[in-house]
Amino acid sequence: MALFNRKSTAAPSAPATVAVDPALTALTGEYAIDPAHSSIGFTVRHAMVTNVRGSFGEHEGTLKLDGHNPANSTASIDVKIASVDTGITDRDGHLVSGDFFDAEKFPLMSFRSTQAEQLGGDKYRITGDLTIKDVTRPLAIDLEFNGSATDVYGNERVGFEGSADILRSDWGLTWNAALETGGVMVSDKVKLNFDISAIKAAPQA
């Protein structure tokens, strides 16, 4: 089901009426991300030999899906840095300190989409601006649309999961420590992981 704009390789032709998928049209609307059933996390290599995983427990955002003109669909997410959780209190404290995120001075990480496209089937790529520590750089996130459903409380939901690789140094996250055996304590490459459930807002009267 195409939520965003499809790329066309067909030769130009005379204007024609394009049939709109009724199931796609029905998804049109504004959605609020449900933090209780969503996860925004990361994976980073530690000491060159293993991976550390973490997540941000507090975040909010909206999706605007336009089934009539999917290219107009957008996403907006704000993440509270101080909510980082890697399972180790001391490590979490280091991450929110000035060595890394400096959460007291820069409390939020944000993403604002600028473009979306279908890659094939239910796979998409959404491109936008990621801001960390007042540094804004472009980010492309590969997503898979998991479908839509009405839950037991009558909420209309859509679901996505996806990931993106970044270099943390691009956003000023440069702290590190050299290892005696060579290499560094924390890799520059970080994998961001997204598992999103969003609830459709009721139509305004």
Side-chain angles (χ1 to χ4, degrees):
M1 182 185 299
L3 286 181
F4 304 118
N5 55 304
R6 291 180 182 269
K7 287 186 173 180
S8 176
T9 57
S13 58
T17 301
V18 179
V20 178
D21 184 345
L24 173 60
T25 303
L27 296 179
T28 298
E30 185 167 331
Y31 295 74
I33 292 176
D34 177 9
H37 297 94
S38 300
S39 175
I40 297 176
F42 59 89
T43 304
V44 62
R45 186 61 62 94
H46 176 262
M48 310 294 292
V49 297
T50 190
N51 290 319
V52 168
R53 294 174 173 82
S55 62
F56 296 93
E58 296 183 41
H59 50 81
E60 61 182 15
T62 58
L63 308 176
K64 292 183 180 179
L65 305 183
D66 187 339
H68 301 282
N69 187 3
N72 290 333
S73 299
T74 62
S76 173
I77 302 173
D78 291 310
V79 177
K80 187 175 180 180
I81 294 296
S83 70
V84 66
D85 181 8
T86 64
I88 303 294
T89 301
D90 288 347
R91 182 165 57 208
D92 296 343
H94 193 196
L95 287 172
V96 301
S97 75
D99 282 346
F100 283 96
F101 287 107
D102 198 357
E104 185 173 347
K105 186 176 181 180
F106 306 103
L108 294 178
M109 172 173 60
S110 65
F111 177 79
R112 300 291 184 268
S113 68
T114 56
Q115 182 183 7
E117 60 182 311
Q118 184 180 22
L119 302 179
D122 287 331
K123 297 186 183 299
Y124 302 85
R125 178 170 294 146
I126 186 164
T127 303
D129 295 322
L130 176 66
T131 301
I132 305 173
K133 298 180 70 173
D134 276 359
V135 177
T136 300
R137 295 181 62 88
L139 174 69
I141 304 171
D142 288 339
L143 295 167
E144 183 170 357
F145 176 53
N146 290 335
S148 62
T150 302
D151 66 22
V152 295
Y153 302 105
N155 298 313
E156 296 181 57
R157 291 180 178 266
V158 292
F160 296 87
E161 61 181 307
S163 63
D165 291 333
I166 68 170
L167 298 179
R168 60 189 178 91
S169 59
D170 286 344
W171 282 266
L173 301 172
T174 58
W175 182 92
N176 227 321
L179 301 176
E180 291 184 4
T181 54
V184 292
M185 181 69 73
V186 185
S187 68
D188 191 18
K189 181 179 176 181
V190 179
K191 183 174 184 177
L192 303 178
N193 304 296
F194 305 88
D195 199 341
I196 301 297
S197 178
I199 298 173
K200 191 174 187 179
Q204 294 184 349

